[in-house]
């Protein structure tokens, strides 16, 4: 299967907000995109990938936080709400920000609403790594990259580091 190209920060296309997917867009073409996104995510390797990261600006996320990579989750038009106000720091990385990790504060437990790959409504609660991943990928759909949560100094250092990597 042909892998997709993952956009890398600070590519301005990562800032493009995604648009909702209509019921008539849940078709064979979308199924192929979902399969290619999973293949790209697994090959990277990663645990989540938003369509925005592959320059498709639709509200689509693929996730698999399982150790054996056997629990694929598709979220179309996802939204979430915190179940409680509690937050926690967790180290995050991003396929669009290679070789960089930082602690990001996110809600501990969230309620997720989305459509699955067949357009069936999903409504579930999650916590831990899955909750962090859903929040991280939903940010991508809004044009937010996890480094936006970092200080300006850390963002500037990261941009310099990435510029050196690309120049090499």
């Amino acid at each position: 299967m042909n892998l997709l190209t993952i956009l890398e920060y600070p590519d301005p296309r990562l800032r493009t907000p995604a648009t909702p997917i209509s019921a008539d867009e849940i078709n064979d073409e979308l199924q192929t995109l979902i399969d290619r996104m999973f293949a790209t995510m697994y090959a990277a390797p990663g645990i989540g990938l938003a369509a925005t990261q592959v320059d498709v600006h639709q509200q689509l996320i693929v996730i698999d936080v399982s150790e054996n990579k056997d629990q694929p989750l598709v979220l179309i038009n996802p939204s979430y709400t915190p179940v409680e106000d509690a937050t926690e720091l967790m180290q995050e990385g991003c396929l669009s920000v290679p070789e960089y990790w930082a602690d990001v504060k996110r809600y501990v437990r969230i309620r997720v609403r989305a459509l699955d790959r067949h357009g069936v409504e999903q409504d579930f609660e999650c916590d831990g790594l899955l909750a962090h991943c859903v929040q991280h990928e939903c940010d991508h759909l809004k044009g937010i990259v996890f480094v936006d949560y970092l200080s300006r100094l850390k963002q500037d250092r990261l941009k310099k580091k990435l510029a050196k990597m690309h120049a090499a």
Side-chain angles (χ1 to χ4, degrees):
M1 175 165 296
N2 289 342
L3 299 182
L4 300 162
T5 300
I6 298 172
L7 301 177
E8 290 189 7
Y9 177 82
D11 190 308
R13 294 172 290 179
L14 289 169
R15 301 298 184 180
T16 305
T19 59
I21 295 172
S22 65
D24 62 326
E25 291 176 299
I26 300 175
N27 54 27
D28 290 344
E29 185 177 326
L30 186 68
Q31 300 306 317
T32 299
L33 174 61
I34 290 168
D35 292 340
R36 290 181 72 199
M37 285 178 63
F38 272 118
T40 301
M41 179 190 75
Y42 289 136
I47 61 170
L49 185 66
T52 300
Q53 294 176 269
V54 293
D55 204 20
V56 175
H57 303 286
Q58 293 181 300
Q59 292 182 9
L60 171 62
I61 294 169
V62 298
I63 293 174
D64 190 341
V65 297
S66 67
E67 275 190 41
N68 297 328
K69 303 301 177 203
D70 59 359
Q71 296 175 22
L73 178 64
V74 174
L75 302 175
I76 296 172
N77 301 334
S79 66
Y80 69 87
T81 53
V83 173
E84 54 194 46
D85 290 336
T87 59
E88 65 184 348
L89 281 176
M90 188 177 283
Q91 194 167 80
E92 292 186 17
C94 181
L95 296 178
S96 291
V97 188
E99 299 179 33
Y100 188 81
W101 297 84
D103 286 333
V104 178
K105 186 186 294 188
R106 302 216 185 252
Y107 292 108
V108 172
R109 187 161 190 78
I110 59 173
R111 179 182 195 123
V112 179
R113 290 189 173 96
L115 302 176
D116 71 7
R117 73 180 300 153
H118 305 292
V120 177
E121 289 186 31
Q122 301 179 82
D123 186 339
F124 62 92
E125 290 186 12
C126 61
D127 58 14
L129 182 58
L130 180 56
H132 274 259
C133 190
V134 168
Q135 292 170 80
H136 175 111
E137 300 307 334
C138 281
D139 276 354
H140 276 300
L141 299 181
K142 298 173 192 168
I144 299 168
V145 181
F146 88 104
V147 297
D148 295 344
Y149 294 102
L150 306 178
S151 69
R152 180 67 57 205
L153 177 64
K154 286 183 180 180
Q155 289 178 35
D156 290 343
R157 285 182 184 161
L158 174 61
K159 286 179 185 174
K160 288 177 184 173
K161 176 184 174 184
L162 292 174
K164 284 181 183 176
M165 282 175 50
H166 290 296

